[in-house]
Structures are given as structure tokens and as C-alpha cells.
Amino acid sequence: MATILKSSEREFQEAPNKIDNFKILFDVSGINKGLKPENLNFDLRRLNPGRYSAPYHFHRYAEELFMIISGSVSLRTPQGLYVVNSGDLIFFEKGKTGAHQLYNHTTEDCVYLDIRTFMGFDVCEYPDSQKIFLAPSYEIFDKDSQVDYFHGEKNVAEKWRQLKTEEK
């Protein structure tokens, strides 16, 4: 079945749990129509003047494609800053080279379509703040606290002895 999201039915709402400078608006007309895509994730977003889309980040397991529908924004990538305008498409590959962030440097709203792959999980990394975000669990960790694979794995034989004793 086709679900048509008419431009006249757009309803932008502020994303929950966002802080100043990162308050972005999402079109909820698809949610209102019960749209629940399984493999193709997309959002129509509105970035108001003086706002950032998200903290500078990249995805380890997802690719993204932005299409600027209206307006203009500044784009930050590992290669530098760029101005992107209405009609422009921007592809972000997975990994560090696909890191990105938008900033609306203008006095007009910018509306863009964000299309991304999602295979049931993703790991986002934030180079500026050294965070790691796990999706879909929404767990966030400080990358600086990275530990060795066997960290804390002492006394494994004792744990097995306890389990065998409890089993009887």
C-alpha cells in the first residue's frame, strides 16, 4: 500500500530531549498516518536559524543521504566546511570519513530529507566529545573509558565452582 505524505499536511514538532542549539524539528505526518518503515529510515527535518542538526558524528554501520529541500546550511565534514543549498544531495559513507554536522548560518529555515540505512543496530561515534551511542538501545558511553577485552574477567574458575554448587 502506498502512503502519501502531502506537503499540505506537514506537521513539524521539536524532537524530545534536545538542548539549546540542537533543537531540530521533525515532520510527524508519517507517524500520524501510522507509517512504520522496517528497513528504510527517513525524516523530513527543519533546522531553524542558529541551530545545529546534531553533535558532529559518524555512523559505523549506516549510510546517510541528505537532500536540501529549501534553504541553505553550512556542512561540517572531515574535509572542512561547505555551504549546501536547496536541491543539493549529500551522501555520507559509514565510518570516520562520513562524519557530519549541519549548522543553519542563515536567517531562514532549512528543510532537508534525511534518508539512512538501518540494519537493526548502529554505533554512532562523536569525535568532539569522545562519546559512543548504541542504537536502538540508546545507550551512550565515554570512549575514553575503553577497556581491554578481558578486563574484569578474573576468578572465572571460582564463578564456575559457585554455579556448580548452586545447581545441586
Side-chain angles (χ1 to χ4, degrees):
M1 177 174 104
T3 302
I4 299 171
L5 305 173
K6 296 287 225 174
S7 61
S8 60
E9 298 172 352
R10 299 255 186 276
E11 183 184 341
F12 285 96
Q13 291 182 3
E14 190 174 292
N17 304 322
K18 298 290 182 176
I19 63 170
D20 283 342
N21 294 322
F22 295 102
K23 292 189 176 180
I24 193 166
L25 301 164
F26 293 84
D27 175 28
V28 295
S29 61
I31 294 168
N32 292 344
K33 287 192 172 195
L35 188 63
K36 296 179 184 177
E38 291 182 33
N39 301 307
L40 180 65
N41 286 340
F42 62 93
D43 291 301
L44 189 62
R45 300 176 177 183
R46 188 174 82 203
L47 191 59
N48 291 337
R51 302 287 186 196
Y52 297 87
S53 58
Y56 184 63
H57 69 285
F58 63 87
H59 301 264
R60 290 187 184 176
Y61 300 102
E63 298 170 319
E64 272 187 291
L65 179 72
F66 290 174
M67 179 174 187
I68 308 300
I69 305 293
S70 64
S72 178
V73 289
S74 295
L75 168 66
R76 177 183 173 195
T77 73
Q79 294 77 36
L81 299 176
Y82 304 90
V83 173
V84 291
N85 301 295
S86 178
D88 290 348
L89 287 170
I90 309 110
F91 173 73
F92 305 103
E93 60 194 24
K94 55 187 169 181
K96 291 179 182 181
T97 55
H100 58 279
Q101 181 182 43
L102 297 178
Y103 171 67
N104 189 341
H105 65 279
T106 75
T107 58
E108 304 292 326
D109 293 342
C110 175
V111 175
Y112 66 99
L113 179 63
D114 176 356
I115 303 170
R116 60 205 168 277
T117 58
F118 187 68
M119 302 180 308
F121 66 92
D122 191 17
V123 176
C124 282
E125 199 165 317
Y126 300 85
D128 292 346
S129 57
Q130 296 301 303
K131 292 184 304 236
I132 293 181
F133 171 78
L134 305 180
S137 66
Y138 286 86
E139 295 174 88
I140 301 172
F141 300 93
D142 186 338
K143 188 175 178 184
D144 290 338
S145 65
Q146 185 173 355
V147 296
D148 179 85
Y149 179 72
F150 289 106
H151 176 81
E153 299 298 333
K154 296 178 182 175
N155 302 321
V156 66
E158 178 58 30
K159 289 177 186 173
W160 274 81
R161 277 191 288 280
Q162 288 174 355
L163 290 171
K164 283 186 171 187
T165 301
E166 292 172 8
E167 186 178 273
K168 293 179 183 180

